[in-house]
Amino acid sequence: MKRFAALAALPLLLLACSKAPEPAATAPKAAPVHKTMIDWVKPVDANIDAIFAQAKAANKPVFLYWGAIWCPPCNQIKATVFNRQDFIDRSSFFVPVYLDGDTQGAQKLAAQFKVRGYPTMILFKPDGTELTRLPGEVDSSQYMEVLSLGLGANSTVKESLAMALGQGPAGAATKMSADAWRMLAYYSWDTDEAQLLPKAELAVTLDKLARNCPSEYAQPAARLALKAIAAGAQLKAGIADKTTALARVHQTLSDPALARQNADLLVYYGGDIVPAITAAASPERAQLLASWNKALDTLNADVSLSRADRLSAVQGKVALAKLDQGKGQKPPLSAELIAQARQAASVADKSTTNTYERQAVIPSAADLLTEVGLLDESDTLLKAELPKAISPYYHMLGLAQNAKQRGDKAGSLKWAEQAYADSTGPATRLQWGTGYVGKVIDLTPEDSERIEKAAASVIAELEAVPETFYERNRRGLEKMGKRLIAWNQQGKHATTLKKLTLQLDGVCGKLAADAQAQQACSGIFKPSTDAPKA
């Protein structure tokens, strides 16, 4: 998930074999009467058992959506998928569960279902068995195809994975249906949280799947191969067989249909893949960059893609243009690329009218302007959107980052502090608060009074309930604790840390009924070997 890498890890597109996939034969037909809205079911007090019991009694799958009001890709899903009439109609055939990260009990349920990044969407069988995880950043029509495959599936993705790897009956892999291979190819590995595979095994396993995929299923095989290369490019060991990887990438780039079907991978992983399989300043690098940029230009011009995806194609070009920059170096980008970025941002701003979609598009457009050095124009776009935005405190983070890039520490902290002050919802406020603490430590480590005040404010808002110390909440607090411990190197700020520890102890002491939550709470200010440097 790269579009908003600081806040969530984001997903994929879909298509299938040598032709666009048709809905599975066993998938339910369209509802005879159109509905006007989705009848979302929202868990009460983290009690989801009753919902699964209802689904089992009705013999309906469960569709679980996990998101947040501020989350840009979540709002993109709302604007392009959840508002589709065919999705609304299809929701009659499953139990749609809406789980917002700020609602009571949500973080504890997130730990139960192992969901972290917003958005995560999971399809369950009526008996509660997880069928598949659906990709979040998708072309909406393709998303419906993925959903149709899931609803009509005879096997879970976990079962299909075992068969595809040769762990099932002899010859099972060759007997797997095209739909089963498609589900593996378009499974949301990015929001999987290592449910099927340890992260370290992902690249080699995806490569094996690509090789095992029958030749007649060319499109799923190509996607699995590209996913394997993207995963391998992010490993320290890198990609061993660069020649084969380069050939596979060129195969996708040279085929317009394959490039379109793998648009998400081309948009978000070029900056990882290109340097992993070619040497800087080599003829191979030049040829690959030319082909990749051509494919991104085609995606940017593709009106069947959402505005956010088309913006991301231009962002992908900028990432490629910056590949060979040394640390701290900022050679000028071409005037043509800067003009393209400015035009893409302007068109996105003027043509996006859906309120939900703007929550995704405007930060993306502003980020694009920032990436090409147009910080003032990025600020203007973000500031103009603040009065209209669903969650303006998200946009303030962009303003804070722009100020930091200018060297304006005071301005950066002002926007970060305001973003924290304006944020709403317990989980969101905790995330923005711990982020603000980190920014104060980064920019003004000598200002112990401000750091203490910021951290004390976060702790003061913590509810002494177990869910406060689960999933995203717990991770945010642990990160804040590590930053403060690192800041207190050699005991320079021992008095401040002692005050904060005593304050937190008061919260932890009220969690005796939940040992796991109490342990997480009491461990926040305990030194660890992996504490980051200040």
Side-chain angles (χ1 to χ4, degrees):
M1 302 186 101
K2 286 208 167 187
R3 180 180 297 163
F4 302 97
L7 296 173
L10 296 179
L12 325 167
L13 273 178
L14 163 85
L15 252 169
C17 290
S18 43
K19 65 176 183 178
E22 299 175 357
T26 55
K29 297 179 180 179
V33 179
H34 283 333
K35 300 169 63 175
T36 58
M37 60 188 298
I38 303 168
D39 297 324
W40 291 108
V41 179
K42 300 182 180 181
V44 178
D45 297 335
N47 182 6
I48 203 167
D49 293 342
I51 296 174
F52 276 96
Q54 170 196 347
K56 187 174 183 179
N59 195 31
K60 287 185 176 183
V62 172
F63 175 94
L64 176 67
Y65 163 79
W66 159 256
I69 291 173
W70 53 264
C71 157
C74 302
N75 283 284
Q76 181 71 11
I77 287 290
K78 291 177 182 177
T80 59
V81 175
F82 292 167
N83 67 344
R84 284 177 61 113
Q85 188 60 57
D86 54 352
F87 183 90
I88 296 171
D89 291 342
R90 182 57 59 89
S91 70
S92 298
F93 297 105
F94 53 75
V95 178
V97 179
Y98 189 107
L99 187 59
D100 185 276
D102 280 309
T103 57
Q104 187 173 1
Q107 295 298 325
K108 194 169 185 178
L109 283 176
Q112 175 183 336
F113 291 111
K114 294 182 173 57
V115 293
R116 187 188 309 174
Y118 300 137
T120 297
M121 288 156 285
I122 309 176
L123 193 62
F124 296 90
K125 286 183 175 182
D127 65 3
T129 303
E130 183 172 318
L131 261 169
T132 190
R133 298 201 174 201
L134 300 162
E137 284 183 13
V138 300
D139 175 276
S140 61
S141 62
Q142 294 175 328
Y143 186 97
M144 293 305 299
E145 292 168 353
V146 181
L147 179 62
S148 180
L149 290 175
L151 291 173
N154 295 317
S155 302
T156 68
V157 167
K158 185 176 183 179
E159 292 167 341
S160 294
L161 176 62
M163 288 189 289
L165 293 175
Q167 298 167 1
T174 58
K175 295 177 182 177
M176 282 175 54
S177 68
D179 288 348
W181 282 105
R182 290 168 189 153
M183 285 184 65
L184 283 172
Y186 300 106
Y187 176 69
S188 185
W189 301 98
D190 294 326
T191 59
D192 171 65
E193 300 303 329
Q195 291 297 288
L196 300 183
L197 295 166
K199 188 175 181 180
E201 298 177 13
L202 182 59
V204 66
T205 303
L206 288 171
D207 182 69
K208 185 174 182 180
L209 290 175
R211 297 174 186 276
N212 288 357
C213 188
S215 58
E216 62 266 30
Y217 303 150
Q219 291 178 3
R223 183 172 179 84
L224 287 165
L226 197 57
K227 284 290 293 180
I229 294 167
Q234 297 175 75
L235 297 175
K236 287 185 178 180
I239 297 172
D241 189 351
K242 293 180 174 59
T243 301
T244 299
L246 181 60
R248 286 177 170 177
V249 171
H250 273 301
Q251 179 187 12
T252 296
L253 292 172
S254 63
D255 185 326
L258 285 180
R260 175 62 175 79
Q261 290 147 20
N262 293 285
D264 57 307
L265 303 181
L266 300 183
V267 164
Y268 299 120
Y269 292 100
D272 294 319
I273 294 175
V274 171
I277 60 178
T278 59
S282 65
E284 292 80 11
R285 172 76 60 90
Q287 182 183 5
L288 183 58
L289 285 174
S291 298
W292 208 303
N293 278 308
K294 181 180 179 181
L296 291 175
D297 280 332
T298 299
L299 294 173
N300 180 43
D302 189 343
V303 295
S304 71
L305 285 171
S306 70
R307 179 58 61 188
D309 288 332
R310 295 170 69 185
L311 268 174
S312 295
V314 182
Q315 287 175 312
K317 290 190 65 178
V318 174
L320 292 177
K322 292 184 173 184
L323 267 184
D324 295 324
Q325 289 183 185
K327 189 174 183 181
Q329 295 179 345
K330 294 184 179 180
L333 299 173
S334 70
E336 180 183 5
L337 183 56
I338 294 173
Q340 185 179 20
R342 178 185 277 123
Q343 173 70 8
S346 176
V347 170
D349 179 26
K350 293 175 182 177
S351 64
T352 307
T353 58
N354 182 285
T355 303
Y356 291 122
E357 191 168 18
R358 287 188 71 83
Q359 183 69 21
V361 167
I362 297 304
S364 183
D367 181 64
L368 175 58
L369 292 171
T370 295
E371 285 296 310
V372 297
L374 303 176
L375 272 68
D376 290 345
E377 293 180 36
S378 176
D379 277 359
T380 298
L381 181 62
L382 290 169
K383 289 177 181 177
E385 191 68 14
L386 291 179
K388 303 177 286 185
I390 292 174
S391 303
Y393 50 85
Y394 183 90
H395 299 44
M396 293 174 190
L397 296 181
L399 291 164
Q401 189 61 28
N402 285 348
K404 179 182 178 181
Q405 191 163 321
R406 291 190 185 92
D408 180 7
K409 294 181 180 180
S412 182
L413 289 177
K414 178 182 86 62
W415 280 116
E417 185 175 24
Q418 185 174 341
Y420 172 36
D422 291 356
S423 61
T424 59
T428 295
R429 285 193 58 76
L430 196 158
Q431 181 171 335
W432 259 247
T434 56
Y436 172 56
V437 172
K439 187 169 286 290
V440 178
I441 294 174
D442 278 341
L443 298 182
T444 57
E446 72 286 351
D447 193 346
S448 58
E449 182 178 348
R450 187 170 190 173
I451 292 169
E452 179 182 338
K453 181 180 177 182
S457 174
V458 173
I459 297 171
E461 289 192 34
L462 298 179
E463 289 188 82
V465 294
E467 68 183 77
T468 301
F469 301 92
Y470 280 89
E471 200 36 62
R472 291 174 70 98
N473 289 351
R474 176 178 62 80
R475 297 175 192 280
L477 287 168
E478 287 175 346
K479 185 175 182 179
M480 183 182 78
K482 289 179 180 180
R483 295 301 309 278
L484 287 165
I485 290 169
W487 172 68
N488 184 42
Q489 284 179 350
Q490 301 175 349
K492 294 178 181 179
H493 308 285
T495 301
T496 296
L497 201 62
K498 184 176 181 179
K499 288 180 184 178
L500 296 173
T501 301
L502 288 173
Q503 183 186 5
L504 184 62
D505 285 345
V507 179
C508 301
K510 301 175 183 178
L511 297 168
D514 191 307
Q516 184 176 349
Q518 188 180 54
Q519 182 180 10
C521 181
S522 61
I524 289 171
F525 288 132
K526 287 184 178 178
S528 65
T529 56
D530 61 343
K533 295 181 180 180

